[in-house]
Amino acid sequence: MPHFTKPEAGSWTENYPELGTSPVNYEDSIDPAYYEAEKEAIFKKTWLNVGRVEQVPKVGSYFTKELAVADTSLVIVRGKDKEIRAFHNVCRHRGNKLVWNDFPGEEVKGTCRQFTCKYHAWRYSLDGDLTFVQQEKEFFDLDKADYGLKLVRCEVWEGFVFVNLDPEAQPLKEYLGEFAKGLEGYPFHEMTEVFTYKAEIGSNWKLFIDAFAEFYHAPVLHMKQAVKDEADKLFNVGYEALHYEIHSPHSMISSWGGMSPPKDLTIVKPIERVLRSGLFGPWEAPDIEGLENLPTGLNPGRHRAWGNDSFEFFPNMTLLIWKPGWYLTYHYWPTAVDKHIFEANLYFVPAKTARERLKQELAAVTFKEYALQDGNTLEATQTMLKSRVVTEFPLCDQELLLRHLHKTVADYVKEHTDAAQ
Amino acid sequence: MLPSEFAALEPFNAWVLESERDRYSKRLASSMEEMQTFYDAAFPLLEQASDHLDKFPLSELPEQERNLLLLMFSLVNVSFPVEVWKQARVPDSGAAYMDLVVEPKV
Ligand code: FES
Ligand SMILES: [Fe+2]
C-alpha cells in the first residue's frame, strides 16, 4: 500500500510514458567512446553551473574552474563594469594557462587588477582585452585588439553563475525553464555561509547523480546512521517520495522531512537532541525574510509532511532545498568515463551565535558521513558494471529520476551523433 | 586555554583544532577509548558551553571562548564514532575521502 498518492497513470514512471518501464542498460557509464560523445553532445552544449555570485564579490575577484569534461579551464571574473564574465583560461600568445598558482591543474581564486601571463608577461584587462605585449615591436603587424581572451557565455540565475561553451545556446533562463521560474524569490542571497566538500570518486558521473536522485537506498545503505529501533522501522517502511516531476531535461523529487524536528526525540542521536540539528539541518529556521511565503515551485505536491525538494538541473547540478531554510548543491564533474570530481556545497544563513554555528557544524559533519558511504559504494558499482556480466537493470518507481537521466543523456548523444552524420 | 568554568576540559586541549581537516585526521588517528574519554568529559558540558558562548557575538569571541568552540567542533566530529559507529572510520566508506575545502571562519 503506497503511503502517498500516486498519479492516475498508476505510477510516477507511467505518468511519463516516454520513459517506459523496462530494465535500463548501463553501458552509458562504462563505454569510453560514449563518454567522449557525452563531452561533445552535453558538456560542450548545455548550461553548467560553476559557482555563485558571492565568489566574485568585487571588481577583480576571480576564480578558475577546471572543465576536464570540456577539455578546458575557465576563469570567471567580475569586470570594471561589475559584470561577471567567463573566459577560456588560455593566453593568446603561446597558449600557456593564464591563471594558476603552483600547480596548473589546481583551481585558484583571488582578486587582481589584471591578468599577467607567467610565460612572457602578456597582460589582459579584467574585461579580457589584451593590454600589454612584452617587446611589442618584435612582432609582425600585431593588433592587440585581435588577441583578447576568448569569451565564454556566462549568465546568472538567482545568484548562480552558469557558463555555456556553445555560443548558439538558448538563454540560461529559458534552458532552466519551469523549475527555475518556480524557485525565483527564494532567499538564496541570504544563505552565504558555505561549507564546500570535494572528493574524487571512482565512478561515472551519472552514477552519483543516481545515488542522490533516489532515496530508496537511504534506509538500507545508511541504516547504521539511525539508532537501532528507528533504523529497523525505516527499513521496514522503505522509502516513498511525496511527489515527482519532470520538465525535461530537468527533474525533481519532493520528500518528507519527518526528522526535523522528530516527533520522538529518542529516535535521534544524543548530540542531535542537544544541538537540535542533524542530517536534515538545524531544526529551527533562521530569522530572515522569504521563508514564510515560499515560491510556488517548492513543495509542488502541497503536502503537510514536506521536508525538502531536490532538483536535478541537467546535466550535473543538484539543488536541494530544506524546509527549515538552508540548501545544498552537488556538482559532478567528469574527468574520465570511470571517474569524476564530486563537489558539495552546504549553504546557511550566517550564524550569529556559537550555538547556531554548532548546529551547522553538526549538519555538515553528518552530511560528510553519509556522502562517504555513497561515494565508496559507487566505486563498487562501477567495477561490477564494467564486468558486463549483467547489462540490464530493473529500476523501480522511486528510481524514476535515474531512468529519466539516462534517457536524457542518450537523447542528447543521439541527436548530436545524428546531426554529425 | 579554556574559560575557567571549563577547566575540566583542559586535559583535552589537543582537540582544539583549527580546521575540519585537522579534526577529522585526529579522529582517524585516535582509538575508540581516547574518543570515548573525550566524549564523556565534553558531552555533558555541551549545553553549558553553548550557553556560555552565546553571551558573545560569534565574530568577536575572546581567545579562550574561541578555543572552547573549536573543542566543541571536535566533540561534534567524534560524536558519530562514539554514538553510532563504534569505530573511527565511517562504515562502508573504504578508501573514500572527502575534503572540506571551504568552511566558515570563526
Ligand atoms: S604564452 Fe602567455 S605570454 Fe607567452
Ligand atoms: Fe545516500
Side-chain angles (χ1 to χ4, degrees):
Chain A
M1 255 294 280
H3 292 84
F4 305 116
T5 332
K6 294 201 179 198
E8 257 169 53
S11 67
W12 294 103
T13 310
E14 287 156 304
N15 200 30
Y16 299 97
E18 64 280 11
L19 298 180
T21 53
S22 43
V24 171
N25 181 294
Y26 268 72
E27 186 68 20
D28 68 358
S29 300
I30 50 175
D31 177 8
Y34 198 90
Y35 174 65
E36 291 306 315
E38 283 179 345
K39 284 167 126 181
E40 300 305 319
I42 297 169
F43 288 91
K44 292 184 185 176
K45 294 274 173 207
T46 54
W47 285 100
L48 307 172
N49 172 239
V50 289
R52 294 248 342 141
V53 290
E54 290 86 16
Q55 289 168 261
V56 280
K58 44 185 199 226
V59 171
S61 307
Y62 67 84
F63 64 92
T64 62
K65 187 80 211 164
E66 292 303 302
L67 286 185
V69 67
D71 305 305
T72 192
S73 163
L74 302 181
V75 47
I76 291 87
V77 57
R78 194 180 286 268
K80 279 226 167 61
D81 54 0
K82 306 252 168 80
E83 284 296 302
I84 300 173
R85 293 184 181 78
F87 301 103
H88 285 282
N89 191 4
V90 53
C91 177
R92 294 297 303 272
H93 173 227
R94 290 250 303 281
N96 183 28
K97 182 178 257 193
L98 183 63
V99 185
W100 54 284
N101 291 339
D102 282 352
F103 304 98
E106 277 180 16
E107 294 178 346
V108 295
K109 60 187 170 186
T111 308
C112 68
R113 285 198 213 169
Q114 60 193 358
F115 299 112
T116 307
C117 181
K118 290 182 205 294
Y119 207 171
H120 315 90
W122 282 30
R123 283 184 226 151
Y124 301 86
S125 75
L126 300 175
D127 306 344
D129 301 326
L130 176 61
T131 53
F132 173 82
V133 170
Q134 173 80 357
Q135 291 172 266
E136 192 172 346
K137 295 213 171 62
E138 292 287 321
F139 284 84
F140 309 93
D141 307 319
L142 181 87
D143 184 350
K144 291 209 283 296
D146 296 336
Y147 293 95
L149 294 178
K150 288 270 186 193
L151 197 66
V152 172
R153 294 273 300 277
C154 180
E155 289 174 24
V156 176
W157 166 76
E158 295 291 296
F160 293 96
V161 180
F162 284 78
V163 297
N164 195 319
L165 295 173
D166 178 6
E168 311 291 311
Q170 68 189 128
L172 173 67
K173 276 177 209 165
E174 204 176 298
Y175 173 75
L176 294 178
E178 295 247 344
F179 287 133
K181 214 187 289 156
L183 291 176
E184 276 167 22
Y186 187 78
F188 294 110
H189 63 282
E190 299 269 18
M191 300 172 189
T192 53
E193 183 164 284
V194 56
F195 293 74
T196 303
Y197 288 98
K198 257 190 195 178
E200 190 179 62
I201 306 285
S203 89
N204 185 270
W205 62 284
K206 297 186 292 300
L207 297 185
F208 213 155
I209 301 184
D210 286 356
F212 278 134
E214 56 88 358
F215 300 127
Y216 170 57
H217 77 273
V220 186
L221 177 63
H222 306 306
M223 182 181 224
K224 296 186 198 122
Q225 307 248 4
V227 295
K228 175 91 175 62
D229 289 354
E230 184 62 12
D232 291 347
K233 200 165 87 199
L234 289 172
F235 183 83
N236 289 329
V237 171
Y239 174 81
E240 274 175 45
L242 299 176
H243 187 88
Y244 290 99
E245 207 163 309
I246 291 175
H247 294 288
S248 230
H250 319 296
S251 60
M252 71 89 66
I253 166 174
S254 187
S255 203
W256 66 295
M259 302 266 270
S260 64
K263 278 199 197 73
D264 173 5
L265 281 180
T266 60
I267 68 170
V268 297
K269 296 166 49 246
I271 198 143
E272 298 181 25
R273 257 175 265 158
V274 174
L275 288 177
R276 303 183 62 78
S277 174
L279 180 67
F280 294 7
W283 297 347
E284 283 82 26
D287 181 21
I288 53 159
E289 298 274 308
L291 293 175
E292 294 282 296
N293 292 311
L294 289 174
T296 54
L298 286 173
N299 187 12
R302 302 281 162 254
H303 281 275
R304 281 173 42 213
W306 179 67
N308 75 61
D309 283 345
S310 185
F311 296 85
E312 297 301 330
F313 285 109
F314 189 78
N316 69 336
M317 178 196 196
T318 303
L319 171 60
L320 192 161
I321 299 176
W322 281 101
K323 183 182 174 196
W326 66 291
Y327 76 96
L328 301 99
T329 60
Y330 308 140
H331 293 89
Y332 320 82
W333 299 107
T335 48
V337 64
D338 56 359
K339 231 190 277 179
H340 71 277
I341 306 280
F342 170 70
E343 213 183 283
N345 289 288
L346 284 64
Y347 292 91
F348 298 96
V349 172
K352 285 198 215 67
T353 66
R355 190 187 295 267
E356 286 171 11
R357 182 63 181 72
L358 277 163
K359 289 171 190 280
Q360 296 173 354
E361 188 73 16
L362 179 58
V365 162
T366 310
F367 165 79
K368 174 169 163 170
E369 316 268 328
Y370 274 81
L372 279 169
Q373 292 186 322
D374 290 313
N376 195 48
T377 302
L378 296 176
E379 310 208 354
T381 308
Q382 182 75 27
T383 50
M384 291 325 288
L385 288 180
K386 203 171 160 187
S387 76
R388 291 191 174 85
V389 172
V390 181
T391 53
E392 304 274 317
F393 298 92
L395 298 183
C396 78
D397 204 26
Q398 302 298 329
E399 293 167 310
L400 160 73
L401 264 45
L402 289 57
R403 195 182 281 283
H404 171 255
L405 170 68
H406 290 264
K407 178 170 186 307
T408 306
V409 167
D411 290 348
Y412 268 72
V413 167
K414 182 168 187 309
E415 193 187 325
H416 187 76
T417 4
D418 288 355
Q421 269 153 18
Chain B
M1 196 169 188
L2 300 170
S4 56
E5 303 94 299
F6 299 92
L9 297 177
E10 291 283 350
F12 304 98
N13 278 342
W15 287 98
V16 175
L17 294 163
E18 282 297 322
S19 67
E20 189 269 355
R21 190 178 288 189
D22 296 342
R23 295 188 282 274
Y24 194 72
S25 314
K26 182 156 170 65
R27 157 174 158 182
L28 291 186
S30 301
S31 67
M32 274 317 294
E33 209 183 347
E34 287 164 331
M35 285 190 276
Q36 187 74 53
T37 316
F38 168 48
Y39 180 93
D40 290 343
F43 184 74
L45 293 173
L46 174 59
E47 185 70 49
Q48 196 189 328
S50 308
D51 287 343
H52 175 80
L53 292 172
D54 279 359
K55 293 183 198 133
F56 306 85
L58 183 57
S59 54
E60 290 155 44
L61 288 182
E63 198 185 323
Q64 294 188 336
E65 272 67 22
R66 185 168 177 274
N67 289 339
L68 179 63
L69 180 58
L70 292 175
L71 188 77
M72 289 299 154
F73 285 171
S74 283
L75 172 67
V76 169
N77 216 303
V78 303
S79 70
F80 266 92
V82 171
E83 294 181 352
V84 283
W85 303 144
K86 313 297 173 213
Q87 62 178 53
R89 286 200 70 86
V90 180
D92 304 315
S93 71
Y97 74 95
M98 197 156 286
D99 252 347
L100 185 57
V101 293
V102 177
E103 65 186 306
K105 284 237 169 4
V106 287

